[in-house]
Amino acid sequence: MAYRITPNLMFPIGNFRNITSGFGEMNVYDNKLWGKHLGIDIAAPNETKIFSIGRGVVVYSKLHQGEFSENGEVLKRNWGGIVIIAHKDPQSKKVFYSVYGHLGKRYVKRGDAVEMGGLIGVIGKSMSESNGIWEEEHLHFGIYIGPFHGKVLPGYFKEGSNVITDPEFWKEPISFIKNYNPRNVHI
Ligand SMILES: [Zn+2]
């Protein structure tokens, strides 16, 4: 897959104020420790538009459904719709990835070229399979700088779990974007 140089970055969502879970928080859901949060959760109602943070190539776009039992009990919380985009830093020449979770609709597929601000999807409805069965309608947004092997990336890191990515490969997304701009890069 050919990578594309990413001269600038923006935030993935218009209203960027209400962060409901920060980067690195140890989160507990359903009385279970999920571990260290590898991104940030941004509250956003159903159908909120989500944009690519920069020029890049889509490397992953799939639905990871959550599961209900017949009586409505939550069996498995999950990503819902998730998109991962590869970007290439023109200064370091390194590739990094932006991760967008809980999308009700995805408008891009693997291999698509995207521009900064390109519409990639919208937020999913509360407690639906496409939001991964979460009460809060939100975007999970992460920045990953480690190796990517075509498989979905995790939202949490827990010591001893079978989630294999090193927590050092994840960056706090807001400061990552702020530090990336402005660069006055000549390509
Ligand atoms: Zn999250």
Side-chain angles (χ1 to χ4, degrees), residues 37 41 140 156:
H37 197 208
D41 289 345
H140 173 105
Y156 287 90

Side-chain angles (χ1 to χ4, degrees), residues 11 16 19 40 141 143 171-179:
F11 292 119
F16 208 75
I19 292 171
I40 57 175
F141 172 53
I143 296 285
K171 296 290 167 193
E172 197 289 305
I174 297 174
S175 55
F176 185 90
I177 290 174
K178 283 183 176 162
N179 292 336

Side-chain angles (χ1 to χ4, degrees), residues 38-140:
L38 299 175
I40 57 175
D41 289 345
I42 305 159
N46 183 27
E47 299 284 331
T48 300
K49 289 176 177 169
I50 303 302
F51 307 103
S52 174
I53 62 165
R55 185 189 294 163
V57 180
V58 177
V59 293
Y60 197 91
S61 176
K62 279 188 186 171
L63 175 62
H64 288 251
Q65 285 181 217
E67 289 169 26
F68 282 116
S69 71
E70 274 179 21
N71 61 11
E73 188 192 352
V74 176
L75 297 177
K76 186 182 181 187
R77 301 190 195 264
N78 209 335
W79 277 122
I82 176 167
V83 169
I84 303 174
I85 299 174
H87 309 276
K88 189 167 182 180
D89 184 323
Q91 289 186 347
S92 69
K93 310 289 185 210
K94 286 186 177 154
V95 176
F96 63 95
Y97 301 85
S98 52
V99 179
Y100 313 81
H102 312 309
L103 304 182
K105 292 176 196 145
R106 290 165 292 119
Y107 300 135
V108 291
K109 61 184 189 309
R110 187 171 175 271
D112 283 354
V114 289
E115 297 301 325
M116 183 170 75
L119 181 64
I120 59 170
V122 296
I123 291 296
K125 189 169 159 41
S126 172
M127 297 302 281
S128 69
E129 288 177 336
S130 69
N131 99 324
I133 312 191
W134 295 92
E135 287 81 359
E136 287 182 344
E137 292 172 348
H138 70 282
L139 173 71
H140 173 105

